[in-house]
Every structure is written in C-alpha cells, then in structure tokens.
Amino acid sequence: MFRKMSMALAATLLLAGAAYADPIEGNWKTQSGETAAIGGCGGGFCITLKTGKHAGKQIGKMNASGDNKYKGTITDPADDKTYSGSASLSGSSLNMTGCALKIFCKTQKWTKL
C-alpha cells in the first residue's frame, strides 16, 4: 500500500513539474536550420545545439527578466566568441540577439519545434 501511494505521489510531482515548465524550454529550429535545445540549468536556461557541425556544444545561458524576456550570454559556435545576449518570446517565435559593445548586434528568429 505504501509503495503504491509513493509511486502515485512521485508521478503527480513529475506531471506537475512539467506543467510549470518555462515557455522558453524545449527544442527550437535556428535561423540556419539547426536544432537547439533550451532547458533549465543552474537557476537559468542553457542553450545547446543538437544538430549540425557544432552539435552538443553549449552556446548560451539566459535568465528570465520578465514578460517572456531573457538576458544572458550567447556564443558564436563558429569562432567561440561570447556576446551579451537577450531573447524575447512571442508565441512560437524566439528572437535571439547577441551584441558586442551593446551597439553591434545581430538578431536571429528561432521557431519552436
């Protein structure tokens, strides 16, 4: 009896955790056609490439800054340079921006898979 109740409680907690996932979490198609996974890590969200030449490489870390906006760092996997980054989520689109010196910026639009 105790074992059944423990298993039911564990299943309920797992399902409840999934219901509270942040909308940025999941798999995204990048502008270049690769797939990136965004998931929780260390109090923020880590961005890891899943496909392409740099598959498995972590390319960013973001923290929520309110109203579906995120701030952190983005790394260009081609040259390993890291930039200040931000992201804004609107429906199934994610605008990822990386800036050098806060004036030279590039933005990509990612789509949720």
Side-chain angles (χ1 to χ4, degrees):
M1 173 99 169
F2 179 73
R3 183 175 180 195
K4 286 182 183 179
M5 287 178 52
S6 296
M7 299 220 10
L9 178 61
T12 302
L13 290 174
L14 284 173
L15 291 174
Y20 292 111
D22 194 278
I24 197 173
E25 291 183 287
N27 293 318
W28 296 86
K29 185 172 189 155
T30 68
Q31 192 167 305
S32 62
E34 296 171 342
T35 300
I38 301 178
C41 70
F45 302 98
C46 288
I47 306 164
T48 305
L49 290 175
K50 292 180 72 175
T51 62
K53 181 179 177 182
H54 302 285
K57 185 170 189 161
Q58 183 177 319
I59 61 164
K61 185 166 182 179
M62 297 277 175
N63 291 308
S65 60
D67 290 331
N68 289 326
K69 295 188 187 305
Y70 304 83
K71 290 190 182 279
T73 59
I74 296 289
T75 300
D76 182 342
D79 62 11
D80 258 352
K81 290 187 179 178
T82 301
Y83 304 94
S84 62
S86 63
S88 61
L89 182 63
S90 177
S92 63
S93 294
L94 182 66
N95 287 319
M96 298 289 291
T97 302
C99 297
L101 304 174
K102 296 185 179 183
I103 54 172
F104 301 106
C105 300
K106 286 186 179 179
T107 299
Q108 288 189 2
K109 184 175 183 176
W110 293 7
T111 306
K112 189 130 189 188
L113 295 175

